[in-house]
Amino acid sequence: MGRFDRRSRRKGIPDDPALRAAAAENPGGSVAEIDPTYIDDPNGYVPPEAIRGAWLVDSSGKLTGEYQRNPRHGVPQDDFSKLTDPDHWLGWLGDDPATAVRKGIEGSLRAQVAGAVVEWVKIRETPRFLTSGRRHSADKELMLVTRAALAAPFALSVRTTRHGRSVLLGVFSWAAVNLSPPEVRKDRHWLDLGVGLDWAGERLQERIYEIDGADGAPL
């Protein structure tokens, strides 16, 4: 795991068989201390903020007694940087693409489970994007965007009255057609749990044509 900024030596090494066993499996590395306040399953996806710190392990697989505190430890926060950082046009999502995608994800969850509350969302990889359009009738140098789509892999924490907190992994896909006036815009969302980006990315083309089969020139 990655190393943190601050380092301290705790008084003594915890008498924890599980900690010693984990150290033996990671010689020369470290063993993270997970905060159960934010994560119920330490073997699943763990957001960086849920890690209190890490015990350092020597080359023989024994704890050194050194402990690196995680300065980011605290309540997990949204992270949409992998959506917004790439140099790709997202104007079809409005002035705040991150908020638009978050609302789309939360709406998809609430459509399945009423009252679902999303605690945090992290986009885990750069999404797959698809944009297409047609030449402007008056200016052949201009291209009018008519359709756009994305597939964004996520991790999120959601709370429901019945099931409590769950951490979910999957891909959120959004396709929109008829983006150039005076057409009537149409949008559709897909929330696929337990799938990878390659699987969802391969379906973007067919999904965008599920909404509208009009021809357009790929951009």
Side-chain angles (χ1 to χ4, degrees), residues 76-80 83-84 93 96-110 116-123 150 152 154-159 172 174 189 191:
Q77 304 295 315
D78 287 352
D79 185 355
F80 285 85
L83 168 71
T84 56
L93 295 174
D96 189 346
T99 297
V101 169
R102 193 188 202 283
K103 288 181 177 179
I105 292 173
E106 191 163 36
S108 297
L109 286 169
R110 286 179 175 172
V117 176
V118 176
E119 297 181 312
W120 51 262
V121 179
K122 295 183 184 292
I123 302 301
L150 64 80
F154 66 81
L156 63 81
S157 177
V158 59
R159 280 192 176 275
F172 173 71
W174 184 342
H189 298 159
L191 193 71

Side-chain angles (χ1 to χ4, degrees), residues 45 79 82 122-126 152-155 169-171 195-196:
Y45 176 85
D79 185 355
K82 288 184 171 60
K122 295 183 184 292
I123 302 301
R124 297 183 296 122
E125 301 176 54
T126 300
F154 66 81
L169 299 177
V171 178
V195 305

